[in-house]
Amino acid sequence: MNEISVKVGLASCGVAAGARDVYLKLEEYLAANPLPVKLMQTACIGMCFEEPIVEFSGSQLGRMHVGKASPDSIIQIMEDYLKGIAPNQNVILAEKLAGTHNELLANQHRIVLRNCGVIDPKSLADYEAQGGYQALKKALTMDKAAIIEEIKASGLRGRGGAGFSTGLKWTFAAKAISEKKYVVCNADEGDPGAFMDRSALEGDPHNVIEGMIIGAYAMGADEGYIYCRAEYPMAIEHLKIAIDAAEAKGYLGKNILGSDFSFDLHIKEGAGAFVCGEETALMQSIEGKRGMPTIRPPFPAEKGLWGKPTNINNVETWANVAWIIMNGAEAFRAFGTEKSPGTKVFALAGKIAGSGLIEVPMGIPIKDIIYKVGGGMKTAKPFKAVQMGGPSGGCIPAEKLDTIVDYDSITATGAIMGSGGMVVMDSGTCMVDVARFFLNFTQNESCGKCTFCRIGTKRMLEILTRITEGKGKLEDIEELQELSENIIKGSLCGLGQTAPNPVLTTLRYFKDEYLAHIVDKRCPAGVCTALVSYRIIPEKCIGCTACARKCPVNCISG
């Protein structure tokens, strides 16, 4: 009997769903019953909604993934697979069988996530077996300027939200004259509903590290930091293991792979302040200061960490670098659009059936992401809107579903690409309450340095709260517009400059809901409790008193 491999997804989402118990059950059983089985660990393949997920390969059935695995069912599934018997439950992906989600994966193209859910993220050998660190070896034979030109030619734009040319950003840092330079990975992911960075770092940490080493070599930096929020303990653990392994193999440290290039990499754990996702605030935090934005110029490329030239890219941007160097700029441009080449990772959350992580070519319509990649709506209620760009983004309504995903098209809707969070909402969502929720987040996360951001967002939140409580006035709409414009103009960093976006887009596309709350004292979605009322229709009441007996707050009388 041939040896088969069994991989259990043990990323944060899998562990939260019970994957650790599944793994321990398999480990215990195989210790007592020697079978030709290689038990392995991996991370998340992206289909978080099906966790725990177990992958089987090596038998005549071919490779397959089973979702919603449990300790009670997993042994039988494994033994059947060994015998070539197809399981009768929840095969979600399969080469030879009818995987229920084969089509969802077929509509994706993976560059950043190519190894996630495939390799053991704690194994350097696994990463090397997938071509890991070959791009670094190639880069060390290239002219430094040629590496930057390749990144520039690829059209890779910063995946942290701003969409600035990565190659151009690298050029600025490379041209800065200094004996000391830094590169930084911004892994301070804090958007509600976003988990792209976490999954990439948990599932393929060496890919991000390799990208950083290549960038450091090209720009002339000898030291780097990965700024990762402390709420990501598994990502930090995997990064530490990967850094130690890379140092032991000569990919990090002094005279990398026998060259005259040396590079040291450190992890800085952030305390969870959303504003530290802004470059200058992030650098202040690394230096041990309070994370507050500083005035630009000077820009980080001129004067960054400890006054030295610094280049900062986010996790997904760094995760594209090794692939581009290995495959070339034209191969990267084969995906996406002219101005937004490549792929984009999105975290799907909310009222969508396939919540989890996806990677799709730029230029795909939002409609295809939701229905062809995300599996459609979770409820019977129709699609209403999608929040893109997190608290700094905006709500895109159903009539804009044909909008393609690229930087310019998304910005034209009033939302932003952001780092890749997509929160899907159905008709049971109150858009005024959504605006209030996101503004409450940004108001809490404001560092307080700018008066417009500190006070303006508080005034806006007070107005939105008043509207959801049925105490709104018509002039509130005009005041929200005016406050939004002034906060955008008067704020120093991106947090304040984009904080009004959820309000502005909901006013733009769902003004009728604001008017219903203010004029009719009614929440069309039935969400705002202060505006929800119940009444007994006299013509239909038979006087049985069943409702009065069931009422938990004794509000029914008569």
Side-chain angles (χ1 to χ4, degrees), residues 108-160:
Q108 300 185 45
H109 187 86
R110 299 191 164 204
I111 293 175
V112 172
L113 303 180
R114 63 189 181 276
N115 294 326
C116 292
V118 176
I119 65 171
D120 180 347
K122 294 187 280 189
S123 169
L124 173 57
D126 271 20
Y127 181 65
E128 289 175 321
Q130 297 295 324
Y133 289 109
Q134 292 301 311
L136 172 60
K137 293 175 182 177
K138 179 181 178 181
L140 291 174
T141 67
M142 297 171 65
D143 182 74
K144 294 179 180 181
I147 295 172
I148 295 176
E149 283 305 312
E150 192 72 20
I151 297 297
K152 194 184 292 184
S154 74
L156 175 65
R157 297 173 65 168
R159 298 300 198 242

Side-chain angles (χ1 to χ4, degrees), residues 338-403:
E338 177 63 27
K339 292 184 178 180
S340 297
T343 61
K344 182 73 190 77
V345 178
F346 289 100
L348 302 182
K351 304 293 185 177
I352 191 163
S355 57
L357 215 62
I358 64 167
E359 185 173 357
V360 291
M362 290 277 202
I364 186 174
I366 296 174
K367 178 172 61 180
D368 287 355
I369 289 180
I370 292 169
Y371 292 100
K372 291 184 179 179
V373 184
M377 301 301 290
K378 183 188 291 186
T379 68
K381 295 178 180 178
F383 171 86
K384 184 173 187 177
V386 60
Q387 169 77 6
M388 283 193 68
S392 305
C395 298
I396 301 174
E399 59 264 31
K400 297 283 185 181
L401 264 180
D402 288 324
T403 302

Side-chain angles (χ1 to χ4, degrees), residues 182 184 225 227 268-269 276 279-292 294 300 303-310:
Y182 296 94
V184 176
Y225 284 87
Y227 186 90
K268 171 68 176 180
E269 296 184 34
C276 285
E279 289 187 347
T280 60
L282 182 152
M283 291 188 295
Q284 293 279 299
S285 181
I286 290 177
E287 291 178 7
K289 303 169 187 173
R290 183 179 177 189
M292 298 179 78
T294 58
K303 189 177 180 183
L305 273 178
W306 292 289
K308 302 300 181 183
T310 303

Side-chain angles (χ1 to χ4, degrees), residues 228-501:
C228 185
R229 54 198 306 112
E231 293 97 324
Y232 285 175
M234 186 180 291
I236 291 169
E237 177 198 352
H238 289 185
L239 279 169
K240 287 178 177 176
I241 292 169
I243 289 172
D244 288 345
E247 287 176 345
K249 197 71 181 285
Y251 298 128
L252 275 173
K254 300 295 180 186
N255 302 115
I256 292 173
L257 297 177
S259 70
D260 59 358
F261 169 57
S262 300
F263 180 66
D264 294 313
L265 188 57
H266 318 285
I267 298 170
K268 171 68 176 180
E269 296 184 34
F274 182 65
V275 74
C276 285
E278 195 276 338
E279 289 187 347
T280 60
L282 182 152
M283 291 188 295
Q284 293 279 299
S285 181
I286 290 177
E287 291 178 7
K289 303 169 187 173
R290 183 179 177 189
M292 298 179 78
T294 58
I295 295 172
R296 296 184 293 180
F299 292 92
E302 308 163 66
K303 189 177 180 183
L305 273 178
W306 292 289
K308 302 300 181 183
T310 303
N311 178 83
I312 304 174
N313 291 120
N314 88 317
V315 171
E316 187 179 342
T317 311
W318 287 120
N320 276 291
V321 170
W323 192 95
I324 292 171
I325 295 301
M326 207 62 215
N327 296 278
E330 287 306 309
F332 189 75
R333 280 193 169 276
F335 306 100
T337 65
E338 177 63 27
K339 292 184 178 180
S340 297
T343 61
K344 182 73 190 77
V345 178
F346 289 100
L348 302 182
K351 304 293 185 177
I352 191 163
S355 57
L357 215 62
I358 64 167
E359 185 173 357
V360 291
M362 290 277 202
I364 186 174
I366 296 174
K367 178 172 61 180
D368 287 355
I369 289 180
I370 292 169
Y371 292 100
K372 291 184 179 179
V373 184
M377 301 301 290
K378 183 188 291 186
T379 68
K381 295 178 180 178
F383 171 86
K384 184 173 187 177
V386 60
Q387 169 77 6
M388 283 193 68
S392 305
C395 298
I396 301 174
E399 59 264 31
K400 297 283 185 181
L401 264 180
D402 288 324
T403 302
I404 64 168
V405 171
D406 67 12
Y407 288 95
D408 301 324
S409 301
I410 296 300
T411 301
T413 68
I416 60 172
M417 181 82 75
S419 55
M422 294 184 76
V423 182
V424 178
M425 295 168 273
D426 63 19
S427 60
T429 306
C430 171
M431 302 312 294
V432 184
D433 187 59
V434 165
R436 184 200 59 78
F437 170 82
F438 282 108
L439 199 72
N440 180 62
F441 179 87
T442 48
Q443 203 278 320
N444 284 334
E445 295 293 338
S446 170
C447 75
K449 185 172 186 176
C450 305
T451 305
F452 276 104
C453 182
R454 182 180 71 250
I455 304 299
T457 55
K458 188 170 181 63
R459 294 289 88 86
M460 287 183 74
L461 180 59
E462 289 170 353
I463 293 170
L464 289 167
T465 302
R466 194 165 67 235
I467 292 172
T468 59
E469 290 175 349
K471 302 171 186 174
K473 300 170 289 185
L474 278 174
E475 51 264 37
D476 285 340
I477 293 178
E478 187 178 342
E479 192 169 347
L480 284 171
Q481 292 273 11
E482 185 179 351
L483 279 167
S484 295
E485 292 167 11
N486 288 328
I487 292 167
I488 291 168
K489 292 175 185 174
S491 296
L492 180 63
C493 84
L495 187 148
Q497 291 163 5
T498 58
N501 282 350

